[in-house]
Structures are given as structure tokens and as C-alpha cells.
Amino acid sequence: MANAAKMNWYLLIMVICTGSLLITLSVVVLNVSFSNPRDVFSIQIGQKQDTLSVKQLDDLAQTFTVKVLSKDTWGSGVILYKQGQVYTVLTAEHILVERDSHRIQTPDGHLYRANWLQTVHLNGNDLAVLQFQSTDESYPVASLETSYTLTVGDQVFAAGFSSEAEPSNQKGFVYTTGQISLLPEQAFEGGYQIGYTNRVEKGMSGGPLLNYQGKLIGINGMDKYPLWGNPYVFKDGSVPSTEVRQQMRRLSWAIPLHTFVDLVSESLKSSLVLSPLFPEQNDQQNSFMSTTKK
């Protein structure tokens, strides 16, 4: 009889502990509803596996980040699309100092003449679309995250080709880590709307802002503490309070990827992949493009 009572107590303790575990798991994901607690556990494990290390993010970003050279200066860009040997790059417009003299240096060090697709209208946002054509080499494209919900506190990874890189860094590719700190409801003029704690050095403008799943969520473009002008003017002409503006000055800023995606319709996306400069039927143009590779 005593043994039976002791066994009943053991069973009761096991039930209580199991119930506590399930309650704990459900609290972790209050914003998600699951009918089976085991589903909650598997989802949490999957999310942890999807998170990349800084080293993995660095290796990944270097495969699709390019250097955009314009006259005597440069910035960075991201390979977004590929069709055949034609590649489409998204960058920041302010790094393009001339309208018809741009080159792209790919991760393997090759240089290509680039065409600025000025027929792609981006509504005053500080973005530009370039295209280049390779001959034999193949380059990866960035993985785009258009359904991702940005949240203050999210860790982010910014990358690009800094003009401030150490002499030992011959490629000049650098990255910085940090987190999202501000997400104004309205974008600034130029489209900037993601404020984050990472440093964005000169030359990194146009480079990728990634989440820790390695997805492209924005384009770098504005460093902390700008030296001139007042970039903190919203698109409707209003300005933040002095206190908020001081907080904004302490952050770098990026244009959300969804700003670009929302402006580019499906039909326009198709034209982005194959612009008039690179018609597959035009052997003369293709021959010209291949001779510009250095």
C-alpha cells in the first residue's frame, strides 16, 4: 500500500514537471499558436539552426557584394538578379558621380563595364540599378527577404568595401555588427528608414544590410553623425524633434529592401534581368561588353 502511494506521488510530480515544461515553451512563442506543443519545440530548434555565425555571414556577403567604381571614387553594391551572363546590381545612387562611366569589380577581382538603368524609376529613393555582363565567370546572387518583419533589437550585419580599411586588408571588404535601434513610421527623403547601431564606413554605401539568417533586408547608405546638411527630413517635409534627431544622428541608416521591391513590378523585374544594353541577339554589343573586362 505504501509502495502504491509512493508511485502515485512520483506520477504526480512527473505530470507537474511535464506541464511546467509545456507552459514554458508556450510562453516563449506567445505570438504563435500551435495545437501541438511538440510543434513549438521543433520550430524553436529550427530558428536556432537558421541563425548564421558572423564568420558565415562574412563569407556569404563576400560572394555577392561588389565594388562599384565611378570616376575616382567607389562604393558597394549587391548582385540581385542573374539571367544568363547578365547580372543586375542594386546600389546607392549617391555614389554614382558620373552618368556614363561606371565599372563593377566582382569578388574574384574582375572588372566589368556597368550600365546604369536610369529607366528604372525609384521615386527619389537613394537607389540605383546597374547591370554588367560577364563572359565565363558565374557569380552568386543575394537571397532577398521581402516578407521579413523588422523589429527594434534585431541583430544586423552591414558589409561593403571601405576606403578606411586597414592596409593589410588588400580587398578592402569589411563588415560591422550591431542591431536595429529605430524604425520610423515614415521614411526620410531618399528612402532611409532603418536606423541601426553598426558603423557604415565610407565606401560601404550601397552594400548589403543582412539579418542573421543571411537575407538581404536593406541597402547601406548613411553613416552616423553626418558632417553636413540635415538628412533627417521625412518625405512629407516634416522633421523630428531636436531630441529625436540627436538620437537619429547616433545611428547609421539603410533603405529597406521592400522599398525597392514595392516599386518594381513583376514586369519591370523581368526587364531588370535583361536590359536593352545586353540583348542576347546583339552580337556586336556582347562583343563590346566582353572587351571591357580587364
Side-chain angles (χ1 to χ4, degrees), residues 199-237:
R199 172 90 195 277
V200 174
E201 300 176 5
K202 184 179 179 181
M204 292 175 66
S205 288
L209 183 68
L210 306 177
N211 63 19
Y212 268 58
Q213 287 69 48
K215 308 287 188 180
L216 180 68
I217 61 172
I219 296 296
N220 302 317
M222 190 192 305
D223 194 10
K224 306 174 182 180
Y225 302 106
L227 297 177
W228 56 81
N230 177 23
Y232 311 110
V233 178
F234 294 114
K235 286 198 169 185
D236 66 358

Side-chain angles (χ1 to χ4, degrees), residues 29 43 75 103 128 285:
V29 285
I43 290 295
R103 292 177 297 163
Q285 282 282 9

Side-chain angles (χ1 to χ4, degrees), residues 152-164:
V152 170
D154 286 351
Q155 290 184 302
V156 287
F157 178 99
F161 291 92
S162 171
S163 61
E164 305 172 30

Side-chain angles (χ1 to χ4, degrees), residues 12-290:
L12 179 60
I13 291 171
M14 288 177 66
V15 168
I16 292 173
C17 291
T18 303
S20 299
L21 174 61
L22 294 179
I23 290 172
T24 302
L25 288 173
S26 65
V27 169
V28 172
V29 285
L30 284 175
N31 60 333
V32 184
S33 176
F34 293 93
S35 58
N36 188 338
R38 288 178 296 181
D39 292 338
V40 176
F41 184 74
S42 65
I43 290 295
Q44 294 302 303
I45 294 299
Q47 289 175 345
K48 289 180 180 178
Q49 289 175 339
D50 288 340
T51 300
L52 302 181
S53 68
V54 171
K55 177 62 168 61
Q56 289 173 317
L57 289 168
D58 180 22
D59 292 342
L60 177 64
Q62 289 195 53
T63 66
F64 54 72
T65 304
V66 297
K67 180 183 283 189
V68 179
L69 298 102
S70 186
K71 200 174 180 180
D72 298 325
T73 187
W74 76 78
S76 304
V78 183
I79 300 178
L80 289 189
Y81 303 106
K82 172 187 177 182
Q83 181 170 326
Q85 295 304 111
V86 177
Y87 293 84
T88 300
V89 172
L90 183 63
T91 187
E93 182 180 6
H94 74 261
I95 71 172
L96 303 177
V97 296
E98 288 189 350
R99 285 197 168 290
D100 57 355
S101 178
H102 313 294
R103 292 177 297 163
I104 286 177
Q105 185 176 48
T106 47
D108 57 6
H110 287 134
L111 281 170
Y112 299 94
R113 181 74 59 82
N115 176 40
W116 183 359
L117 301 188
Q118 298 179 54
T119 56
V120 180
H121 300 294
L122 297 173
N123 287 7
N125 293 294
D126 185 19
L127 295 170
V129 178
L130 302 172
Q131 284 191 326
F132 71 94
Q133 182 173 359
S134 72
T135 51
D136 302 317
E137 291 76 10
S138 180
Y139 303 107
V141 300
S143 179
L144 312 184
E145 182 57 89
T146 57
S147 61
Y148 180 72
T149 301
L150 301 176
T151 305
V152 170
D154 286 351
Q155 290 184 302
V156 287
F157 178 99
F161 291 92
S162 171
S163 61
E164 305 172 30
E166 296 293 332
S168 58
N169 183 352
Q170 295 182 355
K171 291 181 64 176
F173 184 87
V174 300
Y175 67 83
T176 58
T177 60
Q179 64 182 27
I180 295 176
S181 182
L182 278 178
L183 291 167
E185 291 185 6
Q186 185 180 176
F188 299 131
E189 293 177 351
Y192 292 98
Q193 200 171 6
I194 305 175
Y196 49 106
T197 59
N198 313 47
R199 172 90 195 277
V200 174
E201 300 176 5
K202 184 179 179 181
M204 292 175 66
S205 288
L209 183 68
L210 306 177
N211 63 19
Y212 268 58
Q213 287 69 48
K215 308 287 188 180
L216 180 68
I217 61 172
I219 296 296
N220 302 317
M222 190 192 305
D223 194 10
K224 306 174 182 180
Y225 302 106
L227 297 177
W228 56 81
N230 177 23
Y232 311 110
V233 178
F234 294 114
K235 286 198 169 185
D236 66 358
S238 62
V239 295
S241 66
T242 301
E243 180 181 356
V244 173
R245 187 167 64 252
Q246 290 306 312
Q247 184 181 2
M248 291 172 169
R249 284 175 50 81
R250 295 192 290 267
L251 303 174
S252 299
W253 289 87
I255 301 174
L257 178 65
H258 69 73
T259 298
F260 172 75
V261 173
D262 291 346
L263 290 170
V264 182
S265 66
E266 289 300 322
S267 59
L268 190 51
K269 285 178 186 176
S270 299
S271 69
L272 284 178
V273 181
L274 191 63
S275 79
L277 183 63
F278 306 120
E280 292 178 332
Q281 298 82 3
N282 192 330
D283 295 334
Q284 182 179 2
Q285 282 282 9
N286 286 340
S287 175
F288 168 76
M289 287 304 299
S290 53

